[in-house]
Amino acid sequence: MADTSKLHPATTVTNIKSCIPIVLDYEGSQYNNWATLFKLHCRANLVIDHILPPASPTVPPLATTAENLATKALWERLDDIVRQWIYGTISNDLLNTIIHQEDTAAEA
């Protein structure tokens, strides 16, 4: 069974703007800096596969075992955290353009 008693590093981030102080907007003049900081942050917090999926996906298959359900729930929670980071570091105009309830972090 998946060990859910350990805290994942991504769940401890309380202020994304202190880690990524750049606000990405439509002009995109800061895109390279923003993207670099965002990727570094995701690697450091072990969620880079949520924005740059590896060759073999880490999304657990649909399964009914308790372990697979727990793994899928954790993946979905981490994906939502990464989406919050994206949404928290972009302008409101850009946010209104990309936000969609069913998107994944990679899609955002």
Side-chain angles (χ1 to χ4, degrees), residues 7 11 50 72-82:
L7 273 180
T11 64
H50 288 266
K72 185 176 189 302
L74 176 60
W75 192 92
E76 289 173 348
R77 179 178 184 210
L78 294 174
D79 202 67
D80 286 344
I81 289 170
V82 175

Side-chain angles (χ1 to χ4, degrees), residues 18-37:
S18 68
C19 302
I20 305 171
I22 297 169
V23 175
L24 184 64
D25 60 22
Y26 271 117
E27 292 179 19
S29 60
Q30 294 288 334
Y31 177 78
N32 287 334
N33 292 339
W34 177 87
T36 298
L37 289 173

Side-chain angles (χ1 to χ4, degrees), residues 51-73:
I51 60 168
L52 300 174
S56 57
T58 57
V59 179
L62 294 177
T64 57
T65 67
E67 181 177 359
N68 285 343
L69 290 174
T71 301
K72 185 176 189 302

Side-chain angles (χ1 to χ4, degrees), residues 1-21:
M1 182 180 286
D3 185 1
T4 57
S5 63
K6 292 183 182 178
L7 273 180
H8 191 282
T11 64
T12 64
V13 176
T14 58
N15 184 359
I16 190 64
K17 290 184 180 194
S18 68
C19 302
I20 305 171

Side-chain angles (χ1 to χ4, degrees), residues 79-96:
D79 202 67
D80 286 344
I81 289 170
V82 175
R83 283 177 55 209
Q84 287 176 330
W85 294 345
I86 293 169
Y87 298 158
T89 59
I90 63 177
S91 70
N92 284 334
D93 288 339
L94 193 52
L95 174 64
N96 290 330

